[in-house]
Amino acid sequence: VSLVVGGVGVMNIMLVSVSERTLEIGIRKATGARSRDILWQFFLESTYLTFGAGALGMAAGWGAARALAPLGDRIWPPVITWELALVGFAVLTTVGLLAGLLPARRAARLPPAVALRAEV
């Protein structure tokens, strides 16, 4: 559930980024940038956002598990394996990449004339 919520968060952030940078997209397209260039710009931005959030989340989870381990031994011992961490990171990356694809496609399909008419 948290991965879906995270994916929705990434998508919303990227949609806001696209709408705020409409003029920039128009200028880049008017000066020769291809739709593929715009798509990759926003897709890579969402990828970096997802990787950064995933790394911070994994570090915070690992730190919390280590800090609470003495309490957990009495109640429920924490189990952290590299395999589980890698699977979680892979799922997070997939959700983040899929969530970043829609805003990137929207930015790439924006006609330059429409983008240049955007209010600043």
Side-chain angles (χ1 to χ4, degrees):
V1 172
S2 65
L3 290 174
V4 172
V5 171
V8 169
V10 169
M11 187 181 305
N12 286 337
I13 289 170
M14 293 308 299
L15 284 171
V16 168
S17 178
V18 167
S19 66
E20 287 180 352
R21 295 164 61 188
T22 304
L23 185 60
E24 173 192 339
I25 295 166
I27 291 170
R28 287 196 65 210
K29 282 192 154 198
T31 57
R34 299 171 295 193
S35 292
R36 182 175 62 195
D37 299 330
I38 304 295
L39 180 108
W40 275 106
Q41 173 187 350
F42 285 95
F43 189 68
L44 288 176
E45 188 175 321
S46 71
T47 303
Y48 295 148
L49 180 68
T50 302
F51 280 167
L56 287 174
M58 288 180 65
W62 182 81
R66 289 299 224 183
L68 298 174
L71 297 174
D73 287 340
R74 285 178 257 148
I75 302 167
W76 192 339
V79 178
I80 301 174
T81 64
W82 285 107
E83 294 85 11
L84 288 175
L86 290 176
V87 167
F89 197 74
V91 171
L92 168 80
T93 302
T94 304
V95 168
L97 294 179
L98 291 175
L101 190 59
L102 176 69
R105 285 183 60 210
R106 182 175 290 178
R109 290 182 176 175
L110 194 61
V114 172
L116 289 172
R117 275 188 262 140
E119 295 286 327
V120 177

Coordinates of all heavy atoms in Angstrom, one line a residue, residues 15-110:
L15 N 3.8 15.8 -12.2 CA 2.8 16.5 -12.9 C 2.8 18.0 -12.6 O 2.7 18.9 -13.5 CB 1.4 16.0 -12.6 CG 1.0 14.7 -13.3 CD1 -0.3 14.1 -12.7 CD2 0.9 14.8 -14.8
V16 N 3.1 18.3 -11.3 CA 3.2 19.8 -10.9 C 4.5 20.3 -11.6 O 4.5 21.5 -12.1 CB 3.3 19.9 -9.4 CG1 3.7 21.3 -9.0 CG2 1.9 19.6 -8.8
S17 N 5.5 19.6 -11.6 CA 6.8 20.0 -12.2 C 6.6 20.3 -13.7 O 7.1 21.3 -14.2 CB 7.9 18.9 -12.0 OG 9.1 19.3 -12.7
V18 N 5.8 19.4 -14.4 CA 5.6 19.6 -15.8 C 4.7 20.9 -16.0 O 5.0 21.7 -16.9 CB 4.9 18.4 -16.4 CG1 4.3 18.7 -17.8 CG2 5.9 17.3 -16.5
S19 N 3.7 21.1 -15.2 CA 2.8 22.2 -15.4 C 3.5 23.5 -15.0 O 3.3 24.6 -15.7 CB 1.5 22.1 -14.5 OG 1.8 22.1 -13.2
E20 N 4.4 23.5 -14.1 CA 5.2 24.7 -13.7 C 6.3 25.1 -14.7 O 6.7 26.2 -14.8 CB 5.8 24.6 -12.3 CG 4.8 24.7 -11.2 CD 5.4 24.5 -9.8 OE1 6.6 24.2 -9.8 OE2 4.7 24.8 -8.8
R21 N 6.7 24.1 -15.4 CA 7.8 24.3 -16.4 C 7.4 24.2 -17.8 O 8.2 23.9 -18.7 CB 8.9 23.2 -16.1 CG 9.5 23.4 -14.7 CD 10.3 22.3 -14.2 NE 11.4 21.9 -15.0 CZ 12.1 20.8 -14.9 NH1 11.9 20.0 -13.9 NH2 13.1 20.5 -15.7
T22 N 6.1 24.6 -18.0 CA 5.6 24.5 -19.4 C 6.3 25.5 -20.3 O 6.6 25.1 -21.5 CB 4.1 24.9 -19.4 OG1 3.4 24.0 -18.5 CG2 3.5 24.8 -20.7
L23 N 6.7 26.7 -19.9 CA 7.4 27.6 -20.7 C 8.8 27.1 -21.0 O 9.2 27.3 -22.2 CB 7.5 29.0 -20.0 CG 8.1 30.1 -20.7 CD1 7.3 30.4 -22.0 CD2 8.2 31.4 -19.9
E24 N 9.4 26.5 -20.1 CA 10.7 25.9 -20.3 C 10.7 24.8 -21.4 O 11.5 24.7 -22.3 CB 11.3 25.3 -19.0 CG 12.6 24.5 -19.2 CD 13.0 23.7 -18.0 OE1 12.5 24.0 -16.9 OE2 13.7 22.7 -18.2
I25 N 9.6 24.0 -21.3 CA 9.4 23.0 -22.3 C 9.2 23.6 -23.7 O 9.8 23.1 -24.7 CB 8.2 22.1 -22.0 CG1 8.5 21.3 -20.7 CG2 7.9 21.1 -23.1 CD1 7.3 20.7 -20.0
G26 N 8.4 24.6 -23.8 CA 8.2 25.3 -25.0 C 9.4 25.9 -25.6 O 9.7 25.8 -26.8
I27 N 10.2 26.5 -24.8 CA 11.5 27.1 -25.3 C 12.4 26.0 -25.8 O 13.1 26.2 -26.8 CB 12.2 28.0 -24.1 CG1 11.3 29.2 -23.9 CG2 13.6 28.4 -24.5 CD1 11.7 30.0 -22.7
R28 N 12.5 25.0 -25.0 CA 13.4 23.9 -25.5 C 13.0 23.3 -26.8 O 13.8 23.0 -27.7 CB 13.5 22.8 -24.4 CG 14.3 23.2 -23.2 CD 14.7 22.0 -22.3 NE 15.6 21.2 -23.1 CZ 15.7 19.9 -22.9 NH1 14.9 19.3 -22.0 NH2 16.5 19.1 -23.5
K29 N 11.6 23.1 -26.9 CA 11.1 22.5 -28.2 C 11.3 23.5 -29.3 O 11.6 23.1 -30.5 CB 9.7 22.1 -28.1 CG 9.5 20.8 -27.3 CD 8.1 20.4 -27.5 CE 8.1 18.9 -27.3 NZ 6.9 18.3 -27.8
A30 N 11.1 24.8 -29.1 CA 11.2 25.8 -30.1 C 12.7 26.0 -30.6 O 12.9 26.4 -31.7 CB 10.7 27.2 -29.6
T31 N 13.6 25.6 -29.7 CA 15.0 25.7 -30.1 C 15.6 24.4 -30.5 O 16.9 24.3 -30.7 CB 15.9 26.3 -28.9 OG1 15.7 25.4 -27.7 CG2 15.5 27.7 -28.5
G32 N 14.8 23.4 -30.8 CA 15.3 22.2 -31.4 C 15.3 21.0 -30.6 O 15.7 19.9 -31.1
A33 N 14.8 21.0 -29.4 CA 14.8 19.8 -28.6 C 13.7 18.9 -29.1 O 12.6 19.3 -29.5 CB 14.5 20.1 -27.1
R34 N 14.0 17.6 -29.3 CA 13.0 16.6 -29.7 C 12.1 16.2 -28.6 O 12.5 16.4 -27.4 CB 13.7 15.4 -30.3 CG 14.6 15.8 -31.5 CD 15.4 14.6 -31.9 NE 16.3 14.3 -30.8 CZ 17.4 13.5 -30.9 NH1 17.6 12.9 -32.0 NH2 18.1 13.3 -29.8
S35 N 11.0 15.7 -28.9 CA 10.1 15.1 -27.9 C 10.7 14.1 -27.0 O 10.5 14.0 -25.8 CB 8.8 14.6 -28.5 OG 8.0 15.6 -29.1
R36 N 11.6 13.3 -27.7 CA 12.3 12.3 -27.0 C 13.2 12.9 -25.9 O 13.4 12.3 -24.8 CB 13.1 11.4 -27.9 CG 13.9 10.3 -27.3 CD 14.6 9.4 -28.3 NE 15.6 10.2 -29.1 CZ 16.1 9.9 -30.2 NH1 15.8 8.7 -30.8 NH2 17.0 10.6 -30.8
D37 N 13.9 14.0 -26.2 CA 14.7 14.7 -25.2 C 13.9 15.2 -24.0 O 14.4 15.0 -22.9 CB 15.4 15.9 -25.9 CG 16.3 15.5 -27.0 OD1 16.8 14.4 -27.0 OD2 16.5 16.3 -28.0
I38 N 12.7 15.7 -24.3 CA 11.9 16.2 -23.2 C 11.4 15.0 -22.4 O 11.4 15.1 -21.1 CB 10.7 17.0 -23.7 CG1 11.1 18.2 -24.6 CG2 9.8 17.4 -22.6 CD1 11.9 19.2 -23.9
L39 N 11.0 13.9 -23.0 CA 10.6 12.7 -22.3 C 11.7 12.2 -21.4 O 11.4 11.9 -20.2 CB 10.2 11.7 -23.3 CG 9.7 10.4 -22.6 CD1 8.2 10.2 -22.8 CD2 10.4 9.2 -23.3
W40 N 12.9 12.1 -21.9 CA 14.0 11.6 -21.1 C 14.3 12.6 -19.9 O 14.7 12.1 -18.9 CB 15.2 11.4 -21.9 CG 15.2 10.0 -22.6 CD1 14.9 9.7 -23.9 CD2 15.3 8.8 -21.9 NE1 14.9 8.4 -24.0 CE2 15.2 7.7 -22.9 CE3 15.6 8.4 -20.6 CZ2 15.2 6.4 -22.5 CZ3 15.7 7.0 -20.3 CH2 15.5 6.1 -21.3
Q41 N 14.2 13.9 -20.2 CA 14.5 14.8 -19.1 C 13.6 14.6 -17.9 O 14.1 14.4 -16.8 CB 14.3 16.2 -19.6 CG 14.4 17.3 -18.5 CD 14.0 18.7 -19.0 OE1 13.9 18.9 -20.2 NE2 13.9 19.6 -18.0
F42 N 12.3 14.5 -18.1 CA 11.4 14.3 -17.0 C 11.4 12.9 -16.5 O 11.2 12.6 -15.3 CB 10.0 14.7 -17.4 CG 9.8 16.2 -17.5 CD1 10.0 16.9 -18.7 CD2 9.6 17.0 -16.3 CE1 9.9 18.3 -18.7 CE2 9.5 18.3 -16.4 CZ 9.6 19.0 -17.6
F43 N 11.6 11.9 -17.3 CA 11.7 10.5 -16.9 C 12.9 10.3 -16.0 O 12.8 9.7 -14.9 CB 11.7 9.6 -18.1 CG 11.6 8.1 -17.8 CD1 10.4 7.6 -17.3 CD2 12.7 7.3 -17.9 CE1 10.3 6.3 -17.0 CE2 12.5 5.9 -17.6 CZ 11.4 5.5 -17.1
L44 N 14.0 10.9 -16.4 CA 15.2 10.7 -15.5 C 15.0 11.5 -14.2 O 15.5 11.1 -13.1 CB 16.5 11.2 -16.3 CG 16.9 10.3 -17.4 CD1 18.1 10.9 -18.1 CD2 17.3 8.9 -16.8
E45 N 14.4 12.6 -14.3 CA 14.1 13.4 -13.0 C 13.3 12.5 -12.1 O 13.5 12.5 -10.9 CB 13.4 14.7 -13.4 CG 13.2 15.6 -12.2 CD 12.6 16.9 -12.6 OE1 12.9 17.4 -13.7 OE2 11.8 17.5 -11.9
S46 N 12.2 11.9 -12.6 CA 11.4 11.0 -11.7 C 12.2 9.8 -11.2 O 12.0 9.4 -10.1 CB 10.2 10.6 -12.4 OG 10.4 9.6 -13.4
T47 N 13.1 9.3 -12.0 CA 14.0 8.2 -11.6 C 14.9 8.6 -10.5 O 15.0 7.9 -9.5 CB 14.8 7.7 -12.8 OG1 14.0 7.3 -13.9 CG2 15.7 6.5 -12.4
Y48 N 15.5 9.8 -10.6 CA 16.4 10.3 -9.5 C 15.6 10.5 -8.2 O 16.1 10.2 -7.1 CB 17.1 11.6 -9.9 CG 18.0 11.4 -11.1 CD1 18.3 12.5 -11.9 CD2 18.8 10.3 -11.3 CE1 19.1 12.3 -13.0 CE2 19.6 10.1 -12.3 CZ 19.8 11.2 -13.2 OH 20.7 11.0 -14.2
L49 N 14.4 11.1 -8.4 CA 13.5 11.3 -7.2 C 13.2 10.0 -6.5 O 13.3 9.8 -5.3 CB 12.3 12.0 -7.7 CG 11.2 12.3 -6.6 CD1 11.8 13.4 -5.6 CD2 10.0 12.8 -7.2
T50 N 12.9 9.0 -7.3 CA 12.5 7.6 -6.8 C 13.7 7.0 -6.1 O 13.6 6.4 -5.0 CB 11.9 6.7 -7.9 OG1 10.8 7.4 -8.5 CG2 11.5 5.4 -7.4
F51 N 14.9 7.0 -6.8 CA 16.0 6.4 -6.2 C 16.4 7.1 -4.9 O 16.8 6.4 -3.9 CB 17.2 6.4 -7.1 CG 17.2 5.4 -8.2 CD1 18.0 5.5 -9.3 CD2 16.3 4.3 -8.1 CE1 18.0 4.5 -10.3 CE2 16.3 3.3 -9.1 CZ 17.2 3.5 -10.2
G52 N 16.4 8.4 -4.9 CA 16.7 9.1 -3.6 C 15.8 8.8 -2.5 O 16.2 8.6 -1.4
A53 N 14.5 8.8 -2.8 CA 13.5 8.5 -1.8 C 13.7 7.1 -1.3 O 13.5 6.8 -0.1 CB 12.1 8.7 -2.3
G54 N 13.9 6.2 -2.2 CA 14.1 4.8 -1.8 C 15.3 4.5 -1.0 O 15.3 3.8 0.0
A55 N 16.4 5.2 -1.3 CA 17.6 5.1 -0.5 C 17.4 5.7 0.9 O 17.8 5.1 1.9 CB 18.8 5.8 -1.2
L56 N 16.8 6.8 1.0 CA 16.5 7.4 2.3 C 15.6 6.6 3.1 O 15.8 6.4 4.3 CB 16.0 8.8 2.1 CG 17.0 9.9 1.7 CD1 16.2 11.2 1.4 CD2 18.0 10.1 2.7
G57 N 14.6 6.0 2.5 CA 13.6 5.2 3.2 C 14.2 3.9 3.7 O 14.0 3.5 4.8
M58 N 15.1 3.3 2.8 CA 15.8 2.1 3.3 C 16.7 2.4 4.4 O 16.8 1.6 5.4 CB 16.5 1.4 2.1 CG 15.5 0.8 1.1 SD 16.3 0.0 -0.3 CE 17.2 -1.3 0.5
A59 N 17.4 3.5 4.3 CA 18.4 3.8 5.4 C 17.6 4.1 6.7 O 18.0 3.7 7.8 CB 19.2 5.0 5.0
A60 N 16.5 4.8 6.6 CA 15.7 5.1 7.8 C 15.1 3.8 8.4 O 15.1 3.6 9.6 CB 14.6 6.1 7.5
G61 N 14.6 2.9 7.5 CA 14.1 1.7 8.0 C 15.1 0.8 8.7 O 14.9 0.2 9.7
W62 N 16.3 0.8 8.1 CA 17.4 0.0 8.7 C 17.8 0.6 10.0 O 18.0 -0.2 11.0 CB 18.6 -0.1 7.7 CG 19.7 -0.9 8.2 CD1 19.9 -2.2 8.1 CD2 20.9 -0.4 8.9 NE1 21.1 -2.6 8.7 CE2 21.7 -1.5 9.1 CE3 21.4 0.9 9.2 CZ2 22.9 -1.4 9.8 CZ3 22.6 1.0 9.8 CH2 23.4 -0.1 10.1
G63 N 17.9 1.9 10.1 CA 18.3 2.6 11.3 C 17.3 2.3 12.4 O 17.6 2.1 13.6
A64 N 16.0 2.4 12.0 CA 14.9 2.2 13.0 C 14.9 0.8 13.5 O 14.7 0.6 14.7 CB 13.6 2.6 12.4
A65 N 15.1 -0.1 12.6 CA 15.2 -1.5 13.0 C 16.3 -1.8 14.0 O 16.2 -2.6 14.9 CB 15.2 -2.4 11.8
R66 N 17.5 -1.2 13.7 CA 18.6 -1.4 14.5 C 18.4 -0.7 15.9 O 18.8 -1.3 16.9 CB 19.9 -0.8 13.9 CG 20.4 -1.6 12.7 CD 20.8 -2.9 13.2 NE 22.0 -3.3 12.6 CZ 22.6 -4.4 12.7 NH1 22.0 -5.3 13.5 NH2 23.7 -4.7 12.1
A67 N 17.8 0.5 15.9 CA 17.6 1.2 17.2 C 16.6 0.5 18.0 O 16.7 0.4 19.3 CB 17.1 2.6 16.9
L68 N 15.6 -0.2 17.4 CA 14.5 -0.8 18.2 C 14.8 -2.3 18.4 O 13.9 -3.0 18.9 CB 13.2 -0.6 17.5 CG 12.7 0.9 17.4 CD1 11.4 1.0 16.6 CD2 12.5 1.5 18.8
A69 N 15.9 -2.8 17.9 CA 16.2 -4.2 18.0 C 16.2 -4.7 19.4 O 15.7 -5.8 19.7 CB 17.5 -4.6 17.3
P70 N 16.7 -4.0 20.4 CA 16.7 -4.5 21.8 C 15.3 -4.7 22.3 O 15.0 -5.6 23.0 CB 17.4 -3.4 22.6 CG 18.3 -2.8 21.6 CD 17.6 -2.8 20.3
L71 N 14.4 -3.8 21.9 CA 13.0 -4.0 22.3 C 12.3 -5.1 21.5 O 11.5 -5.8 22.1 CB 12.2 -2.7 22.1 CG 12.7 -1.5 22.8 CD1 11.9 -0.2 22.4 CD2 12.5 -1.7 24.3
G72 N 12.7 -5.2 20.3 CA 12.0 -6.2 19.4 C 12.4 -7.7 19.8 O 11.6 -8.6 19.5
D73 N 13.5 -7.9 20.4 CA 13.9 -9.2 20.8 C 12.9 -9.8 21.8 O 12.7 -11.0 21.8 CB 15.3 -9.2 21.4 CG 16.4 -9.0 20.3 OD1 16.1 -9.3 19.1 OD2 17.5 -8.6 20.6
R74 N 12.4 -9.0 22.6 CA 11.4 -9.4 23.6 C 10.0 -9.6 23.0 O 9.2 -10.4 23.4 CB 11.3 -8.5 24.8 CG 12.6 -8.6 25.6 CD 12.5 -7.6 26.8 NE 13.4 -6.5 26.4 CZ 13.3 -5.2 26.7 NH1 12.3 -4.8 27.4 NH2 14.2 -4.4 26.3
I75 N 9.7 -8.8 22.0 CA 8.4 -8.8 21.4 C 8.4 -9.6 20.1 O 7.7 -10.6 20.0 CB 7.8 -7.4 21.2 CG1 7.8 -6.6 22.5 CG2 6.4 -7.4 20.5 CD1 7.6 -5.2 22.3
W76 N 9.1 -9.1 19.1 CA 9.1 -9.7 17.8 C 10.5 -9.3 17.2 O 10.7 -8.2 16.9 CB 8.0 -9.2 17.0 CG 7.7 -10.0 15.7 CD1 8.6 -10.8 15.0 CD2 6.5 -10.0 14.9 NE1 8.0 -11.2 13.9 CE2 6.7 -10.8 13.8 CE3 5.3 -9.4 15.1 CZ2 5.8 -11.0 12.9 CZ3 4.4 -9.6 14.1 CH2 4.6 -10.4 13.0
P77 N 11.4 -10.2 17.0 CA 12.7 -9.9 16.5 C 12.7 -9.3 15.1 O 12.0 -9.9 14.2 CB 13.5 -11.2 16.6 CG 12.5 -12.2 16.6 CD 11.3 -11.7 17.2
P78 N 13.4 -8.2 14.8 CA 13.4 -7.7 13.4 C 14.2 -8.6 12.5 O 15.2 -9.1 12.9 CB 14.0 -6.3 13.6 CG 14.8 -6.4 14.8 CD 14.1 -7.4 15.7
V79 N 13.7 -8.8 11.3 CA 14.4 -9.6 10.3 C 14.7 -8.7 9.1 O 13.8 -8.3 8.4 CB 13.6 -10.8 9.9 CG1 14.3 -11.6 8.8 CG2 13.2 -11.7 11.1
I80 N 16.0 -8.4 8.9 CA 16.4 -7.6 7.8 C 17.4 -8.4 7.0 O 18.5 -8.8 7.5 CB 17.1 -6.3 8.2 CG1 16.1 -5.5 9.1 CG2 17.5 -5.5 7.0 CD1 16.7 -4.2 9.6
T81 N 17.1 -8.7 5.7 CA 18.0 -9.4 4.8 C 18.2 -8.6 3.6 O 17.4 -7.8 3.2 CB 17.4 -10.8 4.4 OG1 16.2 -10.6 3.7 CG2 17.1 -11.7 5.6
W82 N 19.3 -8.8 3.0 CA 19.6 -8.1 1.7 C 18.7 -8.4 0.6 O 18.3 -7.6 -0.2 CB 21.1 -8.3 1.3 CG 22.0 -7.6 2.2 CD1 22.9 -8.1 3.1 CD2 22.3 -6.2 2.2 NE1 23.6 -7.1 3.8 CE2 23.2 -5.9 3.2 CE3 21.7 -5.1 1.5 CZ2 23.7 -4.6 3.5 CZ3 22.2 -3.8 1.8 CH2 23.1 -3.6 2.8
E83 N 18.2 -9.7 0.6 CA 17.3 -10.1 -0.4 C 16.0 -9.3 -0.3 O 15.5 -8.9 -1.4 CB 17.0 -11.6 -0.3 CG 18.2 -12.5 -0.6 CD 19.1 -12.7 0.6 OE1 18.7 -12.4 1.7 OE2 20.3 -13.2 0.4
L84 N 15.5 -9.2 0.9 CA 14.2 -8.4 1.1 C 14.4 -7.0 0.7 O 13.5 -6.3 0.1 CB 13.7 -8.6 2.5 CG 13.1 -9.9 2.9 CD1 12.8 -9.9 4.4 CD2 11.9 -10.2 2.1
A85 N 15.5 -6.4 1.1 CA 15.8 -5.0 0.8 C 15.9 -4.8 -0.7 O 15.4 -3.8 -1.3 CB 17.1 -4.6 1.4
L86 N 16.5 -5.7 -1.4 CA 16.7 -5.6 -2.9 C 15.3 -5.8 -3.6 O 15.0 -5.1 -4.5 CB 17.7 -6.6 -3.4 CG 19.1 -6.3 -3.1 CD1 20.0 -7.4 -3.6 CD2 19.6 -5.0 -3.7
V87 N 14.5 -6.7 -3.1 CA 13.2 -6.9 -3.7 C 12.3 -5.6 -3.5 O 11.7 -5.1 -4.4 CB 12.5 -8.1 -3.1 CG1 11.0 -8.1 -3.5 CG2 13.1 -9.4 -3.6
G88 N 12.4 -5.1 -2.3 CA 11.6 -3.8 -2.0 C 12.1 -2.7 -2.8 O 11.3 -1.9 -3.3
F89 N 13.4 -2.6 -3.0 CA 14.0 -1.5 -3.8 C 13.6 -1.7 -5.3 O 13.3 -0.7 -6.0 CB 15.5 -1.4 -3.7 CG 16.1 -0.1 -4.1 CD1 15.9 1.0 -3.4 CD2 16.7 0.0 -5.3 CE1 16.4 2.2 -3.8 CE2 17.3 1.2 -5.8 CZ 17.1 2.3 -5.0
A90 N 13.6 -2.9 -5.8 CA 13.2 -3.2 -7.1 C 11.7 -2.8 -7.4 O 11.3 -2.2 -8.4 CB 13.4 -4.7 -7.5
V91 N 10.8 -3.2 -6.4 CA 9.4 -2.9 -6.5 C 9.2 -1.3 -6.5 O 8.5 -0.8 -7.3 CB 8.6 -3.6 -5.4 CG1 7.2 -3.1 -5.4 CG2 8.6 -5.1 -5.7
L92 N 9.9 -0.7 -5.6 CA 9.9 0.8 -5.5 C 10.3 1.4 -6.8 O 9.7 2.4 -7.3 CB 10.8 1.3 -4.3 CG 11.0 2.8 -4.3 CD1 9.8 3.5 -3.7 CD2 12.3 3.1 -3.5
T93 N 11.4 0.9 -7.4 CA 11.9 1.5 -8.6 C 10.9 1.3 -9.7 O 10.6 2.2 -10.5 CB 13.2 0.8 -9.0 OG1 14.1 1.1 -7.9 CG2 13.8 1.4 -10.3
T94 N 10.3 0.1 -9.8 CA 9.3 -0.1 -10.9 C 8.1 0.8 -10.7 O 7.6 1.4 -11.7 CB 8.8 -1.6 -10.8 OG1 10.0 -2.4 -10.9 CG2 7.9 -1.9 -11.9
V95 N 7.6 0.9 -9.5 CA 6.4 1.8 -9.3 C 6.8 3.3 -9.6 O 6.0 4.0 -10.2 CB 5.9 1.7 -7.8 CG1 4.9 2.8 -7.5 CG2 5.3 0.3 -7.6
G96 N 8.0 3.7 -9.2 CA 8.4 5.1 -9.4 C 8.6 5.4 -10.9 O 8.2 6.4 -11.4
L97 N 9.1 4.4 -11.6 CA 9.3 4.6 -13.1 C 8.0 4.6 -13.8 O 7.8 5.5 -14.7 CB 10.2 3.5 -13.7 CG 11.7 3.5 -13.2 CD1 12.4 2.3 -13.8 CD2 12.4 4.8 -13.5
L98 N 7.1 3.8 -13.4 CA 5.8 3.8 -14.0 C 5.0 5.1 -13.7 O 4.3 5.7 -14.5 CB 4.9 2.6 -13.6 CG 5.4 1.3 -14.2 CD1 4.6 0.1 -13.6 CD2 5.4 1.2 -15.7
A99 N 5.2 5.6 -12.5 CA 4.5 6.8 -12.1 C 5.1 8.0 -12.8 O 4.5 9.0 -13.0 CB 4.6 7.0 -10.5
G100 N 6.4 8.0 -13.1 CA 7.0 9.1 -13.8 C 6.8 9.1 -15.3 O 7.1 10.1 -16.0
L101 N 6.3 8.0 -15.8 CA 6.1 7.9 -17.3 C 5.0 8.8 -17.8 O 5.2 9.4 -18.8 CB 5.9 6.4 -17.7 CG 5.9 6.1 -19.1 CD1 7.3 6.4 -19.7 CD2 5.7 4.6 -19.4
L102 N 3.9 8.8 -17.1 CA 2.8 9.6 -17.6 C 3.1 11.1 -17.6 O 2.9 11.7 -18.7 CB 1.5 9.4 -16.7 CG 0.3 10.2 -17.0 CD1 -0.3 9.8 -18.3 CD2 -0.7 10.1 -15.8
P103 N 3.7 11.7 -16.6 CA 4.0 13.1 -16.7 C 5.1 13.4 -17.8 O 5.0 14.4 -18.5 CB 4.6 13.5 -15.3 CG 4.0 12.5 -14.4 CD 3.8 11.2 -15.2
A104 N 6.0 12.5 -17.9 CA 7.1 12.6 -19.0 C 6.4 12.6 -20.4 O 6.8 13.4 -21.2 CB 8.1 11.6 -18.8
R105 N 5.5 11.7 -20.6 CA 4.8 11.6 -21.9 C 4.0 12.9 -22.1 O 4.0 13.4 -23.2 CB 4.0 10.4 -22.0 CG 4.8 9.1 -22.2 CD 3.9 7.9 -22.3 NE 3.0 8.0 -23.4 CZ 1.8 7.5 -23.5 NH1 1.4 6.8 -22.5 NH2 1.1 7.6 -24.5
R106 N 3.3 13.4 -21.1 CA 2.5 14.6 -21.2 C 3.4 15.8 -21.6 O 3.1 16.6 -22.5 CB 1.8 14.9 -19.9 CG 0.9 16.1 -20.0 CD 0.1 16.3 -18.8 NE -0.9 15.3 -18.7 CZ -1.7 15.2 -17.7 NH1 -1.7 16.0 -16.7 NH2 -2.7 14.2 -17.7
A107 N 4.6 15.9 -21.0 CA 5.5 17.0 -21.3 C 6.1 16.8 -22.7 O 6.2 17.8 -23.5 CB 6.7 17.0 -20.3
A108 N 6.4 15.6 -23.2 CA 6.9 15.4 -24.5 C 5.9 15.7 -25.6 O 6.3 16.1 -26.7 CB 7.4 14.0 -24.6
R109 N 4.6 15.5 -25.3 CA 3.6 15.7 -26.3 C 3.1 17.1 -26.4 O 2.3 17.4 -27.3 CB 2.4 14.7 -26.1 CG 2.8 13.3 -26.3 CD 1.6 12.4 -26.1 NE 1.9 11.0 -26.4 CZ 1.1 10.1 -26.2 NH1 -0.1 10.3 -25.7 NH2 1.4 8.8 -26.6
L110 N 3.5 18.0 -25.5 CA 3.1 19.3 -25.5 C 3.6 20.1 -26.7 O 4.8 20.2 -27.0 CB 3.6 20.0 -24.2 CG 3.0 21.3 -23.8 CD1 1.5 21.1 -23.5 CD2 3.7 21.8 -22.5

